[in-house]
Amino acid sequence: MSDRVRVHEYIALDRAAEPPALLCADCGWRLCDWAENYRLHAVVVDTATSALGGLFRGLEESLDEQIVLRAYHCPSCGRRLDAEVCPESAEPMWDLKLAGPGVAGPTAAGLS
Ligand SMILES: [Zn+2]
């Protein structure tokens, strides 16, 4: 069994690292320790939803805060790891939280 397994479409877990680490699945860049929120270690690009076209038109008119499409990119290769639509002031949400450093797969990844 490999020490590097995918835990998300664009995130891999390196179980041999000490401590085990989350990596960009494309280039292997170490994002963070396994128990951290990898989004806090990604390059963040916010785009105002008003610039995204008709699907998002009017969101900023019904809310008091700018709504953005927030994309998280690998700091090394630039691969977009994930994205969410959120208020501009929102902290990055967890979208991947492992049950433990030696476990990977569908039963280990969950939302919080
Ligand atoms: Zn990368």
Side-chain angles (χ1 to χ4, degrees):
M1 184 184 307
S2 172
D3 288 327
R4 189 174 291 188
V5 294
R6 282 189 189 247
V7 292
H8 173 289
E9 188 171 1
Y10 302 113
I11 305 292
L13 170 69
D14 182 356
R15 294 182 291 197
E18 189 56 46
L22 296 178
L23 316 172
C24 169
D26 275 8
C27 74
W29 180 263
R30 185 189 183 285
L31 293 161
C32 60
D33 291 351
W34 71 272
E36 295 182 85
N37 184 351
Y38 76 85
R39 288 178 168 187
L40 297 174
H41 303 275
V43 173
V44 176
V45 178
D46 283 350
T47 303
T49 53
S50 57
L52 298 177
L55 183 61
F56 296 98
R57 187 168 295 130
L59 278 177
E60 68 282 355
E61 296 168 7
S62 58
L63 301 169
D64 292 336
E65 187 172 356
Q66 177 66 55
I67 304 299
V68 297
L69 171 66
R70 178 164 293 158
Y72 300 92
H73 295 265
C74 170
S76 177
C77 71
R79 153 69 71 189
R80 185 166 61 196
L81 304 169
D82 206 0
E84 62 187 347
V85 175
C86 62
E88 190 170 37
S89 65
E91 294 295 319
M93 293 179 60
W94 285 80
D95 77 324
L96 172 72
K97 197 169 193 178
L98 301 181
V103 181
T107 58
L111 302 173
S112 63

